[in-house]
């Protein structure tokens, strides 16, 4: 193919963009970048009855957050083939629909919904399934069965009609799919799809073929659910005389539920305990909120890395890819035919790997924003339980950075940091009951009283000094240092498991450590 590669992502604004749609956009983007071509965002809003307010902007925001940037299209700047919203192109499609009728490849159908329902019920009574096709169309109300005068009367009277493609009877249609090889369908299995509706809008089938032709699309990379439509689209290219510039087709495998039992749908979302949308989505009609990967704390790089490997496999065992590495490695011949099972736990692992790539400084800035958001939403309550220096601590980059350094191995997401480091900002007034019941004793109380006095006398309260004093007192008390280390952690942060003990004490500082020991000694019997 000598033409410049051009691909498109063409979602419908009928709700939030599913992660499978983002994967389709990603594969198109990677292909275009690898081949030095163009990637277009086109909005296919021909079905106005299914239009959902806000979903178009949601699609644009999702692509931007994911780092998938079209060369041209809705929300990304006009190119030579604008407009890219099909509702703004509707006058274009009628010409081609009428051309198909004129050349005998399509026809007007005047059947009302009630008349078609009557035919359907009649066939069901005879245990048959109704389909408007090469067999039934000759007994229905259309321009193939009506006289020229009757057709003209219907049109002149403004009677509602649709334009249907005239699928030839008993012919084999062959589609050469890049991923799946040859797909062969006999036209006897196809119905005469509506190409142009009574509301003056084209259906997806006509609009997408016309737009792909006019926008010089060279490759159509889309989901497996569109594979049954491919023979119809091949037929339209033939009927319109565009076979020589028909794009190559590649139908991507389905994304499957974690158990492999069926397609991962929009409805699965929070029901299965993980998001299926890139961003939070609030249904404009019901107000129901569905969670998104961004708000769950995922890095966009981790999100698209997960999507990359859901249906595509690299030559080696590499799992983590930068965008440049994705572009370099990607090819359609390494896309699988079989559906890809989604593993939410592996997705968390991916995010943790990307978290590890961030510096303490970067993470601290993210955590500081997260703390402020939690204060705004009430997830963190600033009240008398907070120390007088609470606000200065959460705005102290160096302090937060050190808290992040100590706890970063414990988290998968940046928004989890508060749960593992909150005790650096707010002292606890509760202690792990089961542990205290097992480990607390008069001897322990005496040990920590002595420890407190020694810490008071320390002039330099650094990591080495804190640890050395602790060990010296333990030996002097006739116990192994390890026997009281977890107990010391409980006195400082309330629980026996947590970040490195002496790092924790060093960050809290001398005055705060002594205060916390004193509080515990007073509270514990």
């Amino acid at each position: 193919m000598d033409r410049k590669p051009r691909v498109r992502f063409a979602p419908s604004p009928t709700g939030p963009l599913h992660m499978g749609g983002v994967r389709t956009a990603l594969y198109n983007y990677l292909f275009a970048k690898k081949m030095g071509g163009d990637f277009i965002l086109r909005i296919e809003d021909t079905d106005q009855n299914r239009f959902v307010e806000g979903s178009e902007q949601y699609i644009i925001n999702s692509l931007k957050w994911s780092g998938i940037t079209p060369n041209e299209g809705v929300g990304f700047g006009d190119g030579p083939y604008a407009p890219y919203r099909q509702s703004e192109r509707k006058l274009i499609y009628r010409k081609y629909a009428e051309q198909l009728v004129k050349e005998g490849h399509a026809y007007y159908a005047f059947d009302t919904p009630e008349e078609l329902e009557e035919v359907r019920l009649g066939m069901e009574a005879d245990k048959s399934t109704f389909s408007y096709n090469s067999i039934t169309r000759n007994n229905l109300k259309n321009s193939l069965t009506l006289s020229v005068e009757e057709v003209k009367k219907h049109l002149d009277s403004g009677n509602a009609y649709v334009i249907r493609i005239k699928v030839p009877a008993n012919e084999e249609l062959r589609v050469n799919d890049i991923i799946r090889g040859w797909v062969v369908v006999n036209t006897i299995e196809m119905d005469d799809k509506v190409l142009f509706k009574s509301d003056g809008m084209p259906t997806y089938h006509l609009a997408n073929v016309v737009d792909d032709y006019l926008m010089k699309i060279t490759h159509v990379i889309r989901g497996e659910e569109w594979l049954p439509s491919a023979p119809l689209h091949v037929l339209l290219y033939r009927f319109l005389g565009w076979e020589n510039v028909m794009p190559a087709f590649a139908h991507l495998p389905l994304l499957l539920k974690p158990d492999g039992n069926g397609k991962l749908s929009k409805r699965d979302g929070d029901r299965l305990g993980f998001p299926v949308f890139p961003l939070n989505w609030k249904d404009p009609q019901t107000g129901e909120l569905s969670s998104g990967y961004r708000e769950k704390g995922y890095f966009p790089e981790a999100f698209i890395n997960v999507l990359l490997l859901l249906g595509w496999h690299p030559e080696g065992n590499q799992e983590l890819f930068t965008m440049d590495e994705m572009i370099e490695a990607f090819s359609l011949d390494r896309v699988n035919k079989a559906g890809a099972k989604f593993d939410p736990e592996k997705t968390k692992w991916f995010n943790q790997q990307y978290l590890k790539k961030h510096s303490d400084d970067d993470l601290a800035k993210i955590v500081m924003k997260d703390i402020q958001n939690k204060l705004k939403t009430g997830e963190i309550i600033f009240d008398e339980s907070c120390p007088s220096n609470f606000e200065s601590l959460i705005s102290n980059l160096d302090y937060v950075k050190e808290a992040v350094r100590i706890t970063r191995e414990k988290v998968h997401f940046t928004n989890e940091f508060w749960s593992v480091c909150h005790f650096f900002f707010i002292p606890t007034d509760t202690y792990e009951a089961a542990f205290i019941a097992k480990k607390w004793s008069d001897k322990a109380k005496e040990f920590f009283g002595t420890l407190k006095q020694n810490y008071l006398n320390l002039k330099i309260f650094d990591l080495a000094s804190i640890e050395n004093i602790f060990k010296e007192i333990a030996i002097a008390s006739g116990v192994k240092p390890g026997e009281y280390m977890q107990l010391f952690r409980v006195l400082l942060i309330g629980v026996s498991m947590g970040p490195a003990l002496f790092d924790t004490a060093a960050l809290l500082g001398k005055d705060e450590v002594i205060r916390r020991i004193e509080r515990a000694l007073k509270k514990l019997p």
Side-chain angles (χ1 to χ4, degrees):
M1 183 178 289
D2 296 329
R3 295 183 295 159
K4 181 181 182 180
R6 285 175 61 80
V7 295
R8 67 358 180 233
F9 177 52
S12 298
T14 56
L17 181 63
H18 186 270
M19 59 190 289
V22 183
R23 185 194 64 171
T24 298
L26 175 65
Y27 283 13
N28 274 277
Y29 175 80
L30 297 177
F31 178 84
K33 290 295 181 182
K34 177 72 174 285
M35 304 298 291
D38 296 325
F39 170 52
I40 300 164
L41 174 63
R42 191 171 71 214
I43 298 296
E44 300 201 339
D45 57 347
T46 57
D47 191 345
Q48 293 292 295
N49 292 326
R50 297 180 62 220
F51 175 80
V52 175
E53 190 68 37
S55 54
E56 180 184 293
Q57 189 59 50
Y58 180 93
I59 292 167
I60 295 168
N61 293 343
S62 296
L63 294 183
K64 287 181 176 179
W65 176 74
S66 302
I68 302 170
T69 309
N71 299 79
E72 59 194 75
V74 179
F76 293 92
D78 286 344
Y81 305 100
Y84 298 94
R85 192 178 288 109
Q86 287 187 334
S87 58
E88 297 173 1
R89 299 170 60 83
K90 62 181 181 180
L91 296 179
I92 296 173
Y93 309 114
R94 180 179 289 276
K95 178 181 79 170
Y96 294 102
E98 296 289 356
Q99 175 187 325
L100 289 168
V101 173
K102 182 179 180 181
E103 295 176 358
H105 300 307
Y107 56 93
Y108 300 111
F110 302 101
D111 318 89
T112 66
E114 293 77 16
E115 290 169 339
L116 291 177
E117 181 64 16
E118 185 178 344
V119 173
R120 184 175 291 105
L121 292 173
M123 292 188 70
E124 286 179 359
D126 292 334
K127 298 183 179 180
S128 300
T129 302
F130 172 68
S131 179
Y132 210 124
N133 56 24
S134 58
I135 297 173
T136 60
R137 65 188 175 212
N138 293 324
N139 296 312
L140 297 168
K141 191 164 64 177
N142 53 59
S143 57
L144 301 176
T145 60
L146 300 174
S147 66
V148 174
E149 291 76 16
E150 288 175 307
V151 171
K152 186 175 185 304
K153 183 179 178 181
H154 275 293
L155 295 175
D156 292 344
S157 300
N159 293 341
Y161 68 88
V162 297
I163 294 177
R164 291 180 178 272
I165 187 170
K166 186 180 177 185
V167 176
N170 198 25
E171 179 182 325
E172 276 195 351
L173 291 177
R174 299 169 63 83
V175 181
N176 189 9
D177 188 274
I178 295 172
I179 297 169
R180 299 162 193 284
W182 284 103
V183 177
V184 182
V185 175
N186 193 293
T187 55
I188 202 167
E189 301 173 23
M190 299 169 60
D191 58 341
D192 291 355
K193 294 289 187 188
V194 174
L195 302 179
F196 204 81
K197 297 178 288 187
S198 58
D199 63 1
M201 292 289 284
T203 61
Y204 164 82
H205 303 293
L206 178 65
N208 115 86
V209 166
V210 169
D211 283 345
D212 285 348
Y213 169 74
L214 295 178
M215 294 181 182
K216 302 188 185 305
I217 300 301
T218 61
H219 296 76
V220 171
I221 304 169
R222 60 189 179 187
E224 181 181 307
E225 63 270 22
W226 293 112
L227 184 59
S229 300
L232 173 65
H233 298 165
V234 167
L235 198 58
L236 280 170
Y237 278 106
R238 183 210 299 177
F239 287 167
L240 289 165
W242 301 335
E243 269 189 298
N244 62 324
V245 290
M246 183 173 66
F249 292 98
H251 290 87
L252 307 177
L254 294 175
L255 293 191
L256 304 177
K257 297 175 187 178
D259 62 2
N261 186 22
K263 179 182 176 182
L264 182 64
S265 72
K266 288 183 176 183
R267 291 180 297 276
D268 289 324
D270 297 319
R271 183 179 67 82
L272 294 176
F274 55 83
V276 295
F277 303 126
L279 316 177
N280 275 2
W281 167 259
K282 187 175 183 179
D283 190 295
Q285 294 182 330
T286 66
E288 182 181 0
L289 184 67
S290 298
S291 62
Y293 280 89
R294 181 181 65 184
E295 289 76 12
K296 284 289 187 182
Y298 282 85
F299 293 107
E301 302 92 338
F303 176 61
I304 63 168
N305 202 146
V306 168
L307 295 181
L308 171 72
L309 298 174
L310 286 173
W312 175 87
H313 60 284
E315 291 186 7
N317 297 320
Q318 183 177 351
E319 289 189 287
L320 301 178
F321 290 81
T322 65
M323 183 65 86
D324 287 342
E325 288 172 336
M326 291 184 194
I327 293 168
E328 178 64 28
F330 186 79
S331 64
L332 288 172
D333 60 5
R334 300 196 72 83
V335 175
N336 304 323
K337 297 178 185 178
K341 285 197 294 185
F342 176 66
D343 183 351
E345 293 306 313
K346 188 62 182 278
T347 304
K348 294 177 185 177
W349 177 86
F350 270 103
N351 202 69
Q352 189 177 48
Q353 304 315 301
Y354 278 90
L355 187 148
K356 290 178 179 179
K357 291 174 179 285
H358 284 70
S359 68
D360 294 338
D361 194 75
D362 288 341
L363 291 176
K365 291 172 183 176
I366 295 171
V367 170
M368 289 168 75
K369 287 182 181 179
D370 183 58
I371 291 173
Q372 292 298 331
N373 288 334
K374 283 177 164 60
L375 282 166
K376 288 178 183 177
T377 60
E379 192 173 339
I380 300 174
I381 299 175
F382 181 49
D383 58 15
E384 64 277 359
S385 66
C386 297
S388 58
N389 64 341
F390 175 74
E391 289 184 301
S392 65
L393 289 179
I394 63 173
S395 59
N396 184 328
L397 177 60
D398 289 336
Y399 186 84
V400 176
K401 185 163 67 173
E402 187 63 12
V404 164
R405 183 191 68 79
I406 296 170
T407 58
R408 61 182 296 157
E409 294 301 317
K410 303 288 184 181
V411 300
H412 289 85
F413 306 97
T414 55
N415 59 13
E416 291 177 341
F417 269 106
W418 180 254
S419 67
V420 298
C421 72
H422 61 89
F423 41 76
F424 288 120
F425 306 93
I426 303 175
T428 184
D429 59 356
T430 60
Y431 305 95
E432 190 175 322
F435 195 86
I436 290 295
K438 184 178 180 181
K439 296 290 186 178
W440 190 247
S441 64
D442 290 339
K443 186 175 181 180
K445 193 168 187 177
E446 181 182 348
F447 171 87
F448 285 105
T450 305
L451 181 67
K452 182 196 78 169
Q453 288 303 127
N454 278 265
Y455 280 166
L456 271 170
N457 296 328
L458 264 182
K459 291 183 179 180
I460 300 176
F461 196 78
D462 60 10
L463 182 63
S465 301
I466 297 167
E467 185 172 1
N468 288 337
I469 290 293
F470 184 91
K471 290 179 177 178
E472 288 172 8
I473 296 172
I475 293 169
S477 302
V479 296
K480 294 179 180 179
E483 289 185 40
Y484 283 158
M485 286 179 67
Q486 278 187 296
L487 192 51
F488 188 22
R489 187 182 286 111
V490 173
L491 301 193
L492 292 181
I493 68 173
V495 292
S496 58
M497 300 301 290
L501 174 59
F502 299 113
D503 290 80
T504 298
L507 179 57
L508 289 172
K510 178 179 175 178
D511 292 344
E512 183 62 22
V513 167
I514 290 170
R515 270 195 297 269
R516 294 191 183 195
I517 294 174
E518 287 177 340
R519 177 182 294 180
L521 290 173
K522 288 178 183 178
K523 188 160 186 177
L524 297 174

